[in-house]
Amino acid sequence: MSELRIIEVGPRDGLQNEPTPIPLEVKARFIANLIEAGAKEIEVTSFVHPKWVPQLADADELLATIPRPEGVHFSALVPNRRGLDRALASGVNRIALFTAASEAFTTKNINMTIAESLAEFRAVADAFREAVPNAFIRGYVSTVVECPFAGPVAPSQVKEVIDHLIQIGVDEISLGDTIGVAIPDDIQRLADALEPALSPSQTAWHFHDTRGTAMANVAAMVERGYRAFDASAGGLGGCPYAPGAGGNLATEDLIYYLERKGLATGWDLDRLVQAGSEVFAHLNRPSASRVHQAVLAACR
Amino acid sequence: MSELRIIEVGPRDGLQNEPTPIPLEVKARFIANLIEAGAKEIEVTSFVHPKWVPQLADADELLATIPRPEGVHFSALVPNRRGLDRALASGVNRIALFTAASEAFTTKNINMTIAESLAEFRAVADAFREAVPNAFIRGYVSTVVECPFAGPVAPSQVKEVIDHLIQIGVDEISLGDTIGVAIPDDIQRLADALEPALSPSQTAWHFHDTRGTAMANVAAMVERGYRAFDASAGGLGGCPYAPGAGGNLATEDLIYYLERKGLATGWDLDRLVQAGSEVFAHLNRPSASRVHQAVLAACR
């Protein structure tokens, strides 16, 4: 059985999908607090061009600022070769590259076909691996169940992209239900199609809670033997396709479930709730996490 | 396989656990809109003494006011023999009676031991059945996984209460994870202990989403063959033990899951969202339902 891994994406995927920018010092404190709460893998930012995601414009300065203690993995999203230069300058040894299972999605989202995005992926991956010892490369595959533009995505479409990524060489693949439509049945069918070519040890699930199904999907995949899940503190990061709708799975909710199941996470829920609270105060909204609310309410 | 049943408890369990009272005409409109949205079983109120639950003080007038179309089942909670008189006057043919698996809970909540509550239950049930043709009696069993006062509840404690209820004679039992701590593993263990004495056709699950686990529990029980679930429009009704924390499973989220699984519910999600929206406007808070938010945001 793979080791249990919680990949905290709040500072990147969370903040990228919140309309209110967060000051650098608040982000730095957030990251430090996440580490205090038990985070071992944190996606801290993205080297996307600030004109596309102004919320993460301070990526270079953030990485220059934050302490990077031993035993914690820091990663950053790298959308293309220009972003790679900034990543190399920052000294991260983990990057995340991006593609999707839906052609319409890559086209609308990053103005490339899937094939073009994979070619870019390969170029960035090769250059990164050459430049960085102990390089770790994650491949994000979005829209693994449904595309907001093109509708349902067949597992075979996802398999095609996965096969390319394995051939390019990635350390892990994060499979994303980008618009949060999936129920466990969808995920089981997908896992049926991707195994055994893609093994649980190379897979992280990236569920969105837009329709309240993320935890059900987590539970189903834990039962199936998967042990790596992306989550965002407090459920930071709304649906990128409709303001007001929910997005990321909340780290608190994930931790609660795993701990109750007897899978030790090494996280401290109270500290995690505190870590998110300052950010939500800046965003002037309550956390989307049920457990966060329950902890604050000292609920029995 | 039992027929799929969604028991809408928003007007009772929802409003009972919201601090802001809702005017009678808004309640009546809510119920009418729920029926328009597809509700076939609605728990409309409780005949509890108004001093305990002022939010439902208008129970008699409500039942005298609302149209009760053919094909829709209306039920009310009856806490004791005094409440029974009011129920009989109202003409409902479905009532819900209350007990719990934890002694501490019945004692603190209704000032009776479990044995006393079962004796009251029997008296009310017998009298109701004598007075009302085609009487239908539901037994609520609270704290089937954990008690807010006494901690974890063993499946055998629940089984003991179930055995008494079956012997008293009930048409169905609603098993409640009152403080929303359960994950699927807890529910599976409980179902293991209760089957086959209690069959799925006599069981409704009443999950709370206080820690974000309700849908995961629903999914697990649907896979196990259960087909009756309590839910509350928009997730009305917070945690009764801590203001601010979440409570009831949202009907919208339940319907989304069931429909995607191919289990036709007969509900119209857009109408359901509208039905809840006026109530939430009165409560001056957003719905707790993810699907409600997604529908409002026209999320793809």
Side-chain angles (χ1 to χ4, degrees):
Chain A
M1 188 69 71
S2 321
E3 72 168 303
L4 181 65
R5 296 174 51 219
I6 294 168
I7 300 94
E8 172 58 46
V9 298
R12 197 283 302 170
D13 195 24
L15 297 186
Q16 175 164 338
N17 290 299
E18 291 285 345
T20 312
I22 301 296
L24 179 71
E25 55 275 14
V26 177
K27 285 184 189 174
R29 205 155 40 237
F30 179 39
I31 290 164
N33 288 338
L34 287 169
I35 294 168
E36 285 283 301
K40 290 283 180 278
E41 302 188 50
I42 312 178
E43 196 177 74
V44 291
T45 193
S46 170
F47 290 111
V48 60
H49 197 290
K51 82 176 172 203
W52 301 123
V53 185
Q55 301 92 318
L56 302 179
D58 56 8
D60 314 86
E61 207 188 336
L62 181 69
L63 271 158
T65 301
I66 57 172
R68 288 188 239 172
E70 208 59 41
V72 181
H73 295 295
F74 295 84
S75 65
L77 191 64
V78 173
N80 49 37
R81 272 168 269 200
R82 276 190 311 276
L84 175 60
D85 291 338
R86 295 169 66 198
L88 291 170
S90 79
V92 289
N93 72 327
R94 290 193 171 207
I95 60 173
L97 307 178
F98 176 86
T99 186
S102 158
E103 201 85 78
F105 191 78
T106 54
T107 302
K108 289 222 157 73
N109 214 38
I110 57 176
N111 202 24
M112 290 191 258
T113 63
I114 294 176
E116 287 166 343
S117 75
L118 288 170
E120 189 74 11
F121 197 117
R122 182 192 287 273
V124 174
D126 289 349
F128 188 69
R129 264 194 293 266
E130 251 204 67
V132 177
N134 64 295
F136 182 103
I137 298 176
R138 154 181 278 212
Y140 269 115
V141 182
S142 287
T143 62
V144 298
V145 176
E146 194 165 309
C147 171
F149 311 112
V153 171
S156 56
Q157 288 173 256
V158 185
K159 172 102 172 72
E160 231 185 284
V161 173
I162 298 309
D163 287 345
H164 281 294
L165 289 177
I166 290 173
Q167 197 252 326
I168 286 170
V170 281
D171 297 282
E172 79 175 356
I173 292 174
S174 171
L175 300 168
D177 174 23
T178 306
I179 54 173
V181 294
I183 64 173
D185 302 55
D186 299 296
I187 306 302
Q188 300 282 16
R189 266 194 300 275
L190 179 57
D192 289 342
L194 300 183
E195 295 166 5
L198 182 67
S199 82
S201 63
Q202 295 172 288
T203 308
W205 288 102
H206 187 101
F207 295 126
H208 274 193
D209 202 37
T210 314
R211 289 167 182 79
T213 61
M215 276 312 309
N217 296 336
V218 166
M221 287 303 101
V222 168
E223 291 303 318
R224 195 168 169 136
Y226 286 81
R227 287 290 180 273
F229 298 91
D230 296 352
S232 179
L236 269 173
C239 178
Y241 295 92
N248 285 308
L249 167 66
T251 313
E252 294 91 323
D253 298 7
L254 175 64
I255 286 165
Y256 175 80
Y257 165 79
L258 293 168
E259 289 282 344
R260 190 161 176 103
K261 200 169 167 53
L263 297 168
T265 66
W267 286 66
D268 178 325
L269 257 182
D270 288 323
R271 288 189 177 194
L272 172 57
V273 166
Q274 283 168 45
S277 290
E278 186 185 4
V279 179
F280 283 102
H282 267 270
L283 295 173
N284 197 27
R285 72 173 187 88
S287 163
S289 159
R290 300 276 195 244
V291 170
H292 190 121
Q293 298 305 335
V295 168
L296 288 183
C299 189
R300 278 303 334 267
Chain B
M1 188 71 70
S2 323
E3 70 168 304
L4 181 66
R5 297 173 51 218
I6 294 168
I7 300 93
E8 172 59 46
V9 298
R12 197 283 300 172
D13 195 24
L15 296 186
Q16 174 163 340
N17 290 300
E18 293 284 345
T20 311
I22 300 297
L24 179 71
E25 56 276 14
V26 177
K27 285 184 191 174
R29 207 157 36 240
F30 180 39
I31 290 164
N33 288 339
L34 286 169
I35 295 168
E36 285 283 302
K40 289 281 181 275
E41 301 188 50
I42 313 178
E43 195 177 75
V44 292
T45 192
S46 170
F47 290 112
V48 60
H49 197 291
K51 83 176 171 205
W52 300 124
V53 186
Q55 301 92 318
L56 302 180
D58 57 7
D60 314 86
E61 206 187 336
L62 180 70
L63 272 159
T65 300
I66 57 171
R68 288 188 239 172
E70 207 60 41
V72 180
H73 296 294
F74 295 84
S75 65
L77 192 64
V78 173
N80 49 38
R81 271 168 270 200
R82 277 189 310 275
L84 175 60
D85 292 337
R86 296 168 66 197
L88 291 171
S90 79
V92 289
N93 71 327
R94 291 194 170 206
I95 60 174
L97 308 178
F98 176 87
T99 186
S102 158
E103 202 85 79
F105 192 77
T106 53
T107 302
K108 288 219 157 75
N109 214 38
I110 55 175
N111 201 25
M112 289 192 259
T113 62
I114 294 176
E116 287 167 342
S117 75
L118 287 170
E120 189 74 12
F121 196 118
R122 182 192 288 273
V124 174
D126 288 350
F128 188 69
R129 263 194 293 266
E130 251 204 67
V132 176
N134 64 295
F136 182 103
I137 297 175
R138 153 182 278 212
Y140 269 114
V141 181
S142 287
T143 62
V144 297
V145 176
E146 194 166 309
C147 171
F149 311 112
V153 170
S156 56
Q157 289 174 255
V158 185
K159 173 102 172 70
E160 232 186 282
V161 174
I162 298 310
D163 286 344
H164 281 294
L165 289 177
I166 289 172
Q167 197 252 326
I168 286 170
V170 281
D171 297 279
E172 79 176 355
I173 292 174
S174 170
L175 300 168
D177 175 22
T178 306
I179 54 173
V181 293
I183 65 173
D185 302 56
D186 299 296
I187 307 301
Q188 300 281 17
R189 266 194 299 274
L190 179 56
D192 289 343
L194 300 184
E195 294 166 5
L198 182 68
S199 81
S201 62
Q202 294 172 288
T203 308
W205 288 103
H206 187 101
F207 295 126
H208 274 193
D209 202 37
T210 314
R211 291 166 180 80
T213 60
M215 276 313 309
N217 296 336
V218 166
M221 288 304 101
V222 168
E223 291 302 318
R224 195 168 169 137
Y226 286 81
R227 287 291 179 273
F229 299 91
D230 295 353
S232 179
L236 268 174
C239 178
Y241 296 92
N248 285 309
L249 167 66
T251 313
E252 295 92 322
D253 298 5
L254 175 64
I255 285 166
Y256 175 80
Y257 166 79
L258 293 169
E259 288 282 344
R260 189 160 177 105
K261 198 167 166 56
L263 297 169
T265 66
W267 285 66
D268 178 326
L269 257 182
D270 289 322
R271 288 190 178 193
L272 172 57
V273 166
Q274 283 167 45
S277 290
E278 185 185 5
V279 179
F280 283 102
H282 267 271
L283 295 172
N284 197 27
R285 73 171 185 89
S287 162
S289 160
R290 301 278 195 244
V291 169
H292 188 121
Q293 297 305 335
V295 168
L296 289 183
C299 188
R300 277 303 335 267

